[in-house]
Amino acid sequence: MNNLPQTLAELRRSHQFSEERVSSRSVKDEMRENLIARVRAAARFFAGIVGYDDTVVPQIVNAILSRHNFHSSGTARTGQESYPARATTLLDPQLPYLHGCEIHDNPYHPICRRCRELLAGNPDDAAISYLTPEERYVEKLATPE
């Protein structure tokens, strides 16, 4: 991760983290673009899921390509909870945010007061940190209990 931009000035100069790419893409667009890239490269999308290649996996792929939400339900221990967690493999490997921000604010368009004040001073020197796909995923289970 040392070769990643470490300040806002470096981030602005990078092609990988351009303002347009970081600010305008939704998570659904990000996952769709990364899934299309994997399809083109003939890579397996959900490695480790066995027995559902002809049933469930195509439905999930279609949902992602269509930018739809998907809901999985079923009896306990049938694997439905593993699909959303594996979908994190379709997120970008790093997502930049302003270092020290509790809400991981967009470095180009911050919304919290702390980050807006930080960028009001000398924005080029603002430190940048990165979220991994695993840090971006939160599981919320809805159970009858």
Side-chain angles (χ1 to χ4, degrees):
M1 267 174 73
N2 290 341
N3 59 344
L4 295 173
Q6 299 299 305
T7 66
L8 185 55
E10 293 173 11
L11 194 71
R12 285 184 176 136
R13 288 191 299 268
S14 75
H15 174 71
Q16 180 183 6
F17 299 109
S18 68
E19 182 173 355
E20 180 180 326
R21 184 170 175 84
V22 171
S23 298
S24 66
R25 278 194 332 163
S26 68
V27 171
K28 289 179 181 180
D29 288 335
E30 176 183 345
M31 291 177 68
R32 182 178 192 277
E33 289 174 18
N34 292 335
L35 177 60
I36 290 170
R38 287 203 186 162
V39 168
R40 287 185 178 142
R44 190 165 156 90
F45 327 122
F46 299 111
I49 295 178
V50 179
Y52 295 101
D53 287 339
D54 297 328
T55 55
V56 178
V57 172
Q59 292 178 19
I60 293 173
V61 168
N62 286 339
I64 293 169
L65 291 174
S66 302
R67 297 180 187 91
H68 290 174
N69 296 321
F70 55 91
H71 171 79
S72 63
S73 62
T75 56
R77 294 181 295 282
T78 56
Q80 70 271 8
E81 70 280 350
S82 68
Y83 296 109
R86 292 183 192 278
T88 62
T89 64
L90 296 174
L91 295 173
D92 288 344
Q94 301 92 14
L95 180 72
Y97 70 95
L98 288 167
H99 180 76
C101 181
E102 291 180 12
I103 62 170
H104 305 125
D105 234 338
N106 181 327
Y108 294 113
H109 303 286
I111 57 174
C112 77
R113 173 179 277 166
R114 175 207 170 269
C115 292
R116 287 193 322 256
E117 289 174 356
L118 175 70
L119 296 189
N122 188 358
D124 287 345
D125 293 336
I128 301 295
S129 292
Y130 295 87
L131 287 172
T132 65
E134 295 77 23
E135 292 169 322
R136 296 173 61 191
Y137 173 75
V138 176
E139 186 173 324
K140 180 82 171 181
L141 295 177
T143 60
E145 298 87 46

XYZ file of all heavy atoms in Angstrom, residues 58-108:
401
model
N -25.952 -17.727 -10.975
C -26.398 -16.900 -12.103
C -27.423 -15.831 -11.698
O -27.423 -14.735 -12.249
C -27.026 -17.910 -13.067
C -26.397 -19.206 -12.734
C -26.136 -19.163 -11.254
N -28.256 -16.141 -10.724
C -29.226 -15.148 -10.262
C -28.529 -13.984 -9.560
O -28.903 -12.819 -9.737
C -30.246 -15.801 -9.336
C -31.152 -16.775 -10.058
C -32.119 -17.459 -9.115
O -32.374 -16.997 -8.008
N -32.667 -18.580 -9.570
N -27.514 -14.287 -8.782
C -26.751 -13.226 -8.114
C -25.995 -12.397 -9.148
O -25.969 -11.165 -9.070
C -25.801 -13.822 -7.059
C -26.617 -14.422 -5.923
C -24.844 -12.767 -6.536
C -25.801 -15.189 -4.917
N -25.389 -13.057 -10.122
C -24.670 -12.345 -11.183
C -25.629 -11.412 -11.919
O -25.320 -10.241 -12.152
C -23.990 -13.340 -12.153
C -23.505 -12.635 -13.405
C -22.845 -14.054 -11.449
N -26.820 -11.900 -12.260
C -27.808 -11.054 -12.945
C -28.236 -9.881 -12.081
O -28.425 -8.768 -12.581
C -29.024 -11.882 -13.366
C -28.731 -12.778 -14.545
O -27.791 -12.537 -15.306
N -29.522 -13.827 -14.695
N -28.396 -10.098 -10.797
C -28.778 -9.010 -9.888
C -27.698 -7.935 -9.853
O -27.984 -6.737 -9.902
C -29.040 -9.557 -8.488
N -26.436 -8.357 -9.790
C -25.335 -7.385 -9.742
C -25.225 -6.637 -11.065
O -25.074 -5.413 -11.083
C -24.010 -8.088 -9.380
C -24.078 -8.597 -7.938
C -22.821 -7.142 -9.558
C -22.944 -9.525 -7.551
N -25.317 -7.360 -12.179
C -25.231 -6.708 -13.489
C -26.380 -5.725 -13.702
O -26.216 -4.699 -14.354
C -25.220 -7.750 -14.613
C -23.961 -8.612 -14.700
C -24.137 -9.687 -15.754
C -22.734 -7.757 -14.982
N -27.543 -6.028 -13.130
C -28.717 -5.166 -13.269
C -28.772 -4.075 -12.207
O -29.726 -3.300 -12.174
C -29.993 -6.009 -13.182
O -29.998 -7.004 -14.161
N -27.781 -4.063 -11.317
C -27.724 -3.103 -10.209
C -28.930 -3.248 -9.269
O -29.419 -2.270 -8.715
C -27.628 -1.669 -10.718
C -26.393 -1.358 -11.509
C -26.413 0.102 -11.975
N -25.345 0.397 -12.873
C -25.424 0.292 -14.206
N -26.529 -0.123 -14.773
N -24.392 0.601 -14.955
N -29.390 -4.462 -9.094
C -30.516 -4.727 -8.203
C -30.015 -5.084 -6.812
O -28.876 -5.513 -6.634
C -31.357 -5.891 -8.727
C -32.109 -5.578 -9.965
N -32.825 -6.521 -10.644
C -32.267 -4.438 -10.675
C -33.399 -5.981 -11.707
N -33.057 -4.716 -11.744
N -30.901 -4.949 -5.857
C -30.637 -5.469 -4.523
C -31.002 -6.946 -4.546
O -31.791 -7.374 -5.388
C -31.504 -4.762 -3.489
C -31.183 -3.291 -3.396
O -30.026 -2.895 -3.475
N -32.194 -2.463 -3.249
N -30.452 -7.716 -3.636
C -30.915 -9.084 -3.522
C -31.031 -9.462 -2.065
O -30.328 -8.959 -1.209
C -30.080 -10.083 -4.321
C -28.605 -10.097 -4.031
C -28.076 -10.923 -3.071
C -27.748 -9.285 -4.760
C -26.723 -10.948 -2.822
C -26.391 -9.309 -4.525
C -25.877 -10.143 -3.545
N -31.977 -10.321 -1.812
C -32.279 -10.778 -0.459
C -32.216 -12.296 -0.479
O -32.777 -12.934 -1.362
C -33.686 -10.311 -0.062
C -34.170 -10.912 1.211
N -33.761 -10.453 2.433
C -35.008 -11.940 1.449
C -34.345 -11.174 3.378
N -35.108 -12.084 2.802
N -31.530 -12.869 0.472
C -31.485 -14.322 0.556
C -32.120 -14.756 1.866
O -31.920 -14.133 2.902
C -30.052 -14.834 0.455
O -29.293 -14.352 1.535
N -32.910 -15.769 1.777
C -33.526 -16.311 2.984
C -33.580 -17.826 2.845
O -33.533 -18.367 1.739
C -34.922 -15.733 3.203
O -35.763 -16.081 2.120
N -33.680 -18.486 3.949
C -33.739 -19.940 3.943
C -33.542 -20.462 5.341
O -33.364 -19.699 6.292
N -33.581 -21.750 5.455
C -33.401 -22.349 6.765
C -31.944 -22.192 7.204
O -31.046 -21.979 6.390
C -33.783 -23.848 6.729
O -33.010 -24.488 5.726
C -35.251 -24.022 6.436
N -31.744 -22.305 8.473
C -30.412 -22.103 9.056
C -29.389 -23.064 8.460
O -29.715 -24.201 8.125
C -30.479 -22.286 10.571
N -28.176 -22.569 8.317
C -27.012 -23.337 7.863
C -27.158 -23.892 6.445
O -26.693 -24.983 6.155
C -26.684 -24.438 8.865
C -26.221 -23.879 10.210
C -25.882 -24.965 11.198
N -27.008 -25.792 11.600
C -27.944 -25.452 12.483
N -27.881 -24.277 13.060
N -28.899 -26.281 12.797
N -27.833 -23.135 5.572
C -27.908 -23.566 4.170
C -27.031 -22.705 3.277
O -27.036 -22.874 2.064
C -29.367 -23.537 3.648
O -29.900 -22.234 3.823
C -30.206 -24.569 4.363
N -26.297 -21.774 3.852
C -25.302 -21.032 3.089
C -25.739 -19.684 2.552
O -24.956 -18.991 1.918
N -26.980 -19.274 2.791
C -27.436 -18.013 2.200
C -26.672 -16.810 2.727
O -26.555 -15.808 2.043
C -28.948 -17.809 2.372
C -29.414 -17.535 3.788
C -29.734 -18.798 4.568
O -29.456 -19.894 4.086
N -30.275 -18.666 5.747
N -26.068 -16.920 3.895
C -25.320 -15.785 4.438
C -23.955 -15.628 3.776
O -23.322 -14.590 3.909
C -25.166 -15.915 5.956
C -24.241 -17.025 6.417
C -24.852 -18.425 6.426
O -26.070 -18.552 6.247
O -24.096 -19.382 6.595
N -23.498 -16.637 3.054
C -22.165 -16.547 2.466
C -22.129 -15.709 1.189
O -21.088 -15.190 0.823
C -21.616 -17.943 2.177
O -22.352 -18.566 1.150
N -23.237 -15.553 0.499
C -23.222 -14.817 -0.768
C -22.896 -13.333 -0.600
O -22.019 -12.823 -1.287
C -24.547 -14.999 -1.517
C -24.776 -16.425 -1.925
C -25.748 -17.192 -1.313
C -23.992 -17.022 -2.903
C -25.953 -18.507 -1.675
C -24.186 -18.343 -3.262
C -25.172 -19.082 -2.648
O -25.351 -20.383 -2.996
N -23.564 -12.616 0.296
C -23.191 -11.196 0.442
C -21.751 -11.004 0.885
O -21.065 -10.104 0.411
C -24.165 -10.667 1.503
C -25.300 -11.632 1.492
C -24.721 -12.962 1.105
N -21.260 -11.856 1.768
C -19.872 -11.728 2.221
C -18.908 -11.959 1.058
O -17.896 -11.282 0.935
C -19.593 -12.713 3.348
N -19.217 -12.888 0.181
C -18.354 -13.153 -0.974
C -18.462 -12.045 -2.020
O -17.563 -11.874 -2.832
C -18.673 -14.505 -1.574
C -18.278 -15.637 -0.655
C -18.543 -16.964 -1.306
N -18.444 -18.056 -0.361
C -17.318 -18.630 0.026
N -16.181 -18.219 -0.450
N -17.324 -19.615 0.886
N -19.554 -11.309 -2.002
C -19.707 -10.200 -2.944
C -18.679 -9.104 -2.692
O -18.394 -8.303 -3.582
C -21.123 -9.638 -2.882
N -18.088 -9.078 -1.500
C -17.057 -8.072 -1.224
C -15.862 -8.245 -2.141
O -15.098 -7.309 -2.341
C -16.573 -8.123 0.239
O -15.986 -9.391 0.504
C -17.709 -7.843 1.204
N -15.689 -9.430 -2.729
C -14.582 -9.632 -3.656
C -14.774 -8.816 -4.934
O -13.844 -8.682 -5.720
C -14.413 -11.119 -4.018
O -15.573 -11.574 -4.712
C -14.172 -11.964 -2.775
N -15.975 -8.276 -5.120
C -16.244 -7.442 -6.289
C -16.056 -5.956 -5.999
O -16.269 -5.123 -6.873
C -17.665 -7.700 -6.810
C -17.913 -9.114 -7.318
C -19.383 -9.289 -7.675
C -17.031 -9.426 -8.510
N -15.682 -5.614 -4.773
C -15.402 -4.215 -4.436
C -13.958 -3.890 -4.797
O -13.103 -4.766 -4.857
C -15.626 -3.976 -2.936
C -17.065 -4.143 -2.435
C -17.098 -4.044 -0.916
C -17.985 -3.130 -3.068
N -13.690 -2.603 -5.035
C -12.323 -2.169 -5.312
C -11.421 -2.533 -4.129
O -11.872 -2.502 -2.976
C -12.274 -0.659 -5.536
C -12.888 -0.232 -6.863
O -13.079 -1.103 -7.741
O -13.183 0.964 -7.011
N -10.161 -2.848 -4.387
C -9.259 -3.250 -3.298
C -9.006 -2.148 -2.270
O -8.736 -2.436 -1.114
C -7.954 -3.611 -3.998
C -8.234 -3.615 -5.446
C -9.529 -2.943 -5.690
N -9.085 -0.890 -2.681
C -8.899 0.228 -1.753
C -9.901 1.326 -2.094
O -10.151 1.612 -3.260
C -7.500 0.846 -1.847
C -6.363 -0.073 -1.572
C -5.847 -0.731 -2.840
O -6.163 -0.331 -3.948
N -5.052 -1.766 -2.677
N -10.430 1.951 -1.051
C -11.292 3.115 -1.208
C -10.696 4.232 -0.358
O -10.577 4.082 0.863
C -12.724 2.817 -0.767
C -13.689 3.985 -0.894
C -13.993 4.250 -2.370
C -14.961 3.706 -0.132
N -10.285 5.350 -0.976
C -9.638 6.407 -0.193
C -10.634 7.180 0.670
O -11.799 7.346 0.307
C -9.037 7.317 -1.269
C -9.874 7.094 -2.479
C -10.347 5.681 -2.409
N -10.154 7.615 1.819
C -10.927 8.499 2.688
C -9.953 9.403 3.429
O -8.748 9.152 3.443
C -11.837 7.714 3.639
C -11.123 6.943 4.725
C -10.934 7.496 5.993
C -10.653 5.656 4.507
C -10.294 6.788 6.996
C -10.006 4.941 5.497
C -9.838 5.508 6.742
O -9.198 4.812 7.732
N -10.473 10.459 4.019
C -9.619 11.385 4.760
C -9.186 10.744 6.075
O -10.032 10.305 6.869
C -10.345 12.712 4.999
C -10.500 13.560 3.741
C -11.478 14.694 3.955
C -9.153 14.093 3.289
N -7.888 10.659 6.265
C -7.310 9.995 7.434
C -7.889 10.578 8.722
O -7.993 11.786 8.892
C -5.785 10.159 7.421
C -5.131 9.513 8.580
N -4.964 8.149 8.668
C -4.622 10.040 9.726
C -4.375 7.860 9.808
N -4.151 8.992 10.471
N -8.271 9.683 9.633
C -8.764 10.099 10.938
C -10.253 10.377 10.983
O -10.795 10.661 12.039
N -10.927 10.271 9.872
C -12.360 10.562 9.839
C -13.160 9.350 10.323
O -12.969 8.241 9.835
C -12.797 10.943 8.424
S -14.552 11.348 8.320
N -14.070 9.575 11.278
C -14.893 8.498 11.828
C -15.811 7.878 10.783
O -16.102 6.689 10.836
C -15.779 9.027 12.954
C -15.078 9.415 14.192
C -16.050 9.931 15.248
O -17.278 9.765 15.085
O -15.563 10.504 16.223
N -16.292 8.703 9.851
C -17.259 8.200 8.871
C -16.609 7.916 7.519
O -17.299 7.686 6.534
C -18.455 9.158 8.710
C -18.008 10.526 8.186
C -19.221 9.289 10.008
C -19.155 11.433 7.778
N -15.296 7.946 7.476
C -14.535 7.645 6.254
C -14.982 8.535 5.101
O -15.379 8.066 4.039
C -14.659 6.159 5.889
C -14.249 5.261 7.001
N -15.063 4.296 7.501
C -13.104 5.201 7.721
C -14.450 3.666 8.490
N -13.257 4.208 8.637
N -14.891 9.820 5.335
C -15.370 10.834 4.395
C -14.643 10.806 3.055
O -13.434 10.585 2.986
C -15.188 12.229 5.010
C -16.465 13.031 5.016
O -17.365 12.730 4.216
O -16.547 13.968 5.814
N -15.406 11.053 2.006
C -14.870 11.181 0.656
C -13.858 12.329 0.651
O -14.188 13.447 1.041
C -16.026 11.469 -0.305
C -15.600 11.604 -1.741
O -14.515 12.081 -2.049
N -16.478 11.199 -2.627
N -12.629 12.101 0.221
C -11.626 13.160 0.270
C -11.924 14.325 -0.674
O -11.433 15.429 -0.464
C -10.327 12.459 -0.132
C -10.733 11.186 -0.761
C -12.094 10.834 -0.272
N -12.729 14.101 -1.691
C -13.050 15.163 -2.635
C -14.264 15.985 -2.210
O -14.359 17.160 -2.535
C -13.300 14.578 -4.029
C -12.079 13.972 -4.653
C -11.999 12.604 -4.868
C -10.989 14.754 -5.025
C -10.884 12.032 -5.455
C -9.865 14.185 -5.602
C -9.822 12.833 -5.819
O -8.709 12.276 -6.392
